DNA sequence: AAACCCGGCAACCGCACTCCA
DNA sequence: TTGGAGTGCGGTTGCCGGGTT
């Protein structure tokens, strides 16, 4: 069964946006806020597909966008993030304030790829171009070897639980969430491919701090958070509650990260509330935008 | 000056996912 | 449980402008 078209294509404009269309879209969103993209074109008097309006707003018209050339720091950050996340442009964009996924994707394809190739680095694998894949059996199956440090802090003052996950500076004493699986375990699935040491990544990205802080949203007004639901955030440390308002709603009820990593009842589990045993395990945990039952590291694979 | 080439980037397309009735 | 609606994401396309022949 096919999906219904997102709009009546016969009566929509395509191609470059005019100044007038931009103005109409900006005016409408200023008045009514983002959302309801399907109905927005009609309400705003635009002969455009809702998706087209959304794209135009997110990639071009949003007031918090930073236009202009990428800095050297941004270049290096993109490279490092891509080495970890692959083509997860939206996640990469989330760590570059004022930049959009589309912008970063284009910039990668036009500038950084060439830059890496000039350095003798394969932009897809982040390895030297003459480095045989056979020498790196994890390259093609693309296991991201990531060590996660998890720290919980529960403030008695605000009753908000915060989980910090650091992908940097992991030490052998770090808590290992999922242990190494035997190489030829027939039951081994991709999502179990996380390894408990990360010399590879640390070697590649010795100074990249991908620390994530997961905490319940500090906005209790869903409408206000919705209007600020942009995943652009001015800090490398990402508050996941800003990732998107729907994810935000999930995080409210999924405090214990350890449970969602499959170590329920383990010493990492900090569940002391009714959260445990609620929908968190069934709905999964949205971590970095990656849907997890057990944290699914397939999405972290290098392509 | 005209034709051609090529890189950059805005926009489109199709799929995947979540929500909800 | 199912399917439609809404939205997000990544890959791809195509236009446009600058450079080269």
């Amino acid at each position: 069964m096919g999906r219904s078209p997102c709009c009546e294509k016969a009566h929509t404009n395509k191609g470059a946006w005019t100044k007038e269309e931009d103005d109409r879209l900006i005016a409408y969103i200023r008045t009514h806020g983002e959302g309801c993209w399907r109905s927005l074109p009609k309400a705003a008097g635009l002969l455009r597909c809702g998706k087209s309006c959304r794209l135009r707003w997110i990639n071009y018209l949003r007031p918090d966008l930073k236009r202009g050339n990428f800095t050297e720091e941004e270049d290096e950050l993109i490279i490092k993030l891509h080495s970890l996340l692959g083509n997860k442009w939206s996640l990469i964009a989330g760590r570059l304030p004022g930049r959009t996924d589309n912008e970063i994707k284009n910039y990668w394809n036009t500038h950084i790829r060439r830059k890496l190739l000039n350095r003798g680095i394969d932009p897809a694998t982040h390895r030297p171009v003459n480095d045989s894949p056979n020498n790196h059996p994890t390259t093609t199956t693309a296991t991201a070897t990531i060590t996660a440090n998890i720290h919980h802090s529960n403030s008695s003052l605000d009753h908000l639980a915060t989980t910090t996950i650091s992908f940097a500076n992991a030490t052998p004493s770090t808590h290992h969430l999922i242990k190494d699986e035997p190489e030829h375990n027939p039951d081994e699935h991709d999502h179990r491919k996380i390894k408990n040491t990360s010399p590879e990544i640390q070697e590649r990205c010795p100074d990249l701090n991908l620390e994530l802080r997961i905490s319940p949203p500090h906005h209790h007004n869903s409408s206000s958070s919705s209007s600020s639901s942009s995943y652009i955030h001015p800090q490398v440390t990402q508050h996941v509650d800003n990732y998107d308002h729907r994810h935000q709603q999930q995080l409210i009820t999924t405090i214990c990260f350890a449970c969602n990593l499959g170590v329920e009842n383990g010493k990492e589990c900090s569940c002391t509330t009714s959260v445990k045993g609620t929908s968190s395990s069934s709905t999964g945990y949205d971590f970095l935008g990656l849907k997890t039952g057990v944290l699914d590291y397939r999405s972290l694979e290098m392509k």
Side-chain angles (χ1 to χ4, degrees), chain A residues 18-297:
Chain A
T18 64
K19 182 75 171 59
E20 185 186 353
E21 287 176 313
D22 283 347
D23 290 342
R24 279 180 183 268
L25 182 57
I26 292 169
Y28 183 86
I29 291 177
R30 275 183 183 158
T31 307
H32 300 92
E34 294 180 46
C36 298
W37 294 108
R38 182 182 282 249
S39 58
L40 184 149
K42 189 176 180 181
L46 289 164
L47 292 175
R48 288 278 179 176
C49 166
K51 289 176 72 171
S52 181
C53 293
R54 175 183 162 270
L55 211 60
R56 181 66 178 172
W57 173 254
I58 288 176
N59 286 333
Y60 203 82
L61 298 177
R62 244 173 36 197
D64 58 335
L65 290 181
K66 181 200 292 183
R67 311 301 300 180
N69 295 335
F70 283 73
T71 65
E72 193 62 33
E73 289 75 23
E74 286 175 314
D75 275 19
E76 294 305 317
L77 183 56
I78 291 169
I79 292 169
K80 288 170 180 176
L81 288 167
H82 187 273
S83 74
L84 282 169
L85 301 169
N87 295 357
K88 301 295 178 187
W89 305 116
S90 61
L91 294 178
I92 294 171
R95 287 164 182 73
L96 285 150
R99 302 296 188 185
T100 69
D101 53 357
N102 201 42
E103 188 179 15
I104 293 171
K105 178 175 58 180
N106 285 331
Y107 187 67
W108 175 270
N109 287 327
T110 56
H111 293 90
I112 299 183
R113 279 175 61 89
R114 196 180 311 141
K115 184 176 178 177
L116 289 178
L117 287 170
N118 286 341
R119 291 181 186 174
I121 296 171
D122 183 343
T125 63
H126 294 267
R127 295 182 180 283
V129 286
N130 58 357
D131 211 8
S132 167
N134 294 333
N135 295 336
H136 302 281
T138 60
T139 300
T140 50
T141 55
T143 301
T145 54
I146 292 175
T147 304
N149 295 336
I150 294 188
H151 305 282
H152 298 287
S153 68
N154 291 293
S155 165
S156 59
L157 293 176
D158 56 13
H159 308 287
L160 298 179
T162 296
T163 300
T164 298
I165 305 165
S166 174
F167 289 97
N169 300 322
T171 65
S173 62
T174 298
H175 303 303
H176 302 310
L177 302 176
I178 302 175
K179 293 183 179 178
D180 269 335
E181 293 282 331
E183 283 270 328
H184 302 292
N185 182 347
D187 294 331
E188 181 179 12
H189 296 297
D190 287 347
H191 68 273
R192 306 296 298 270
K193 283 181 179 172
I194 181 173
K195 302 292 171 54
N196 60 0
T197 57
S198 58
E200 184 182 339
I201 279 181
Q202 289 185 46
E203 181 182 324
R204 274 191 258 144
C205 313
D207 57 342
L208 174 61
N209 185 358
L210 270 181
E211 182 180 83
L212 306 174
R213 298 187 71 241
I214 301 174
S215 60
H218 51 277
H219 300 297
H220 297 286
N221 182 340
S222 61
S223 63
S224 65
S225 65
S226 175
S227 64
S228 62
S229 64
S230 159
Y231 43 81
I232 301 298
H233 199 275
Q235 296 154 335
V236 171
T237 296
Q238 180 185 33
H239 289 264
V240 176
D241 55 87
N242 275 348
Y243 178 65
D244 107 21
H245 66 279
R246 281 191 291 171
H247 299 156
Q248 192 176 76
Q249 290 170 349
Q250 287 184 346
L251 287 176
I252 291 171
T253 57
T254 55
I255 302 300
C256 181
F257 187 62
C259 287
N260 289 282
L261 287 171
V263 290
E264 195 168 353
N265 298 324
K267 62 183 178 182
E268 300 296 343
C269 178
S270 62
C271 287
T272 56
T273 69
S274 60
V275 169
K276 201 168 188 173
T278 65
S279 62
S280 62
S281 59
S282 60
T283 59
Y285 197 99
D286 234 356
F287 169 63
L288 271 173
L290 309 174
K291 197 66 186 173
T292 61
V294 171
L295 184 59
D296 188 345
Y297 280 89

Side-chain angles (χ1 to χ4, degrees), chain A residues 3-19:
Chain A
R3 293 171 53 88
S4 60
C6 70
C7 55
E8 184 53 64
K9 294 183 188 300
H11 301 101
T12 56
N13 292 339
K14 291 174 74 173
W17 280 64
T18 64
K19 182 75 171 59

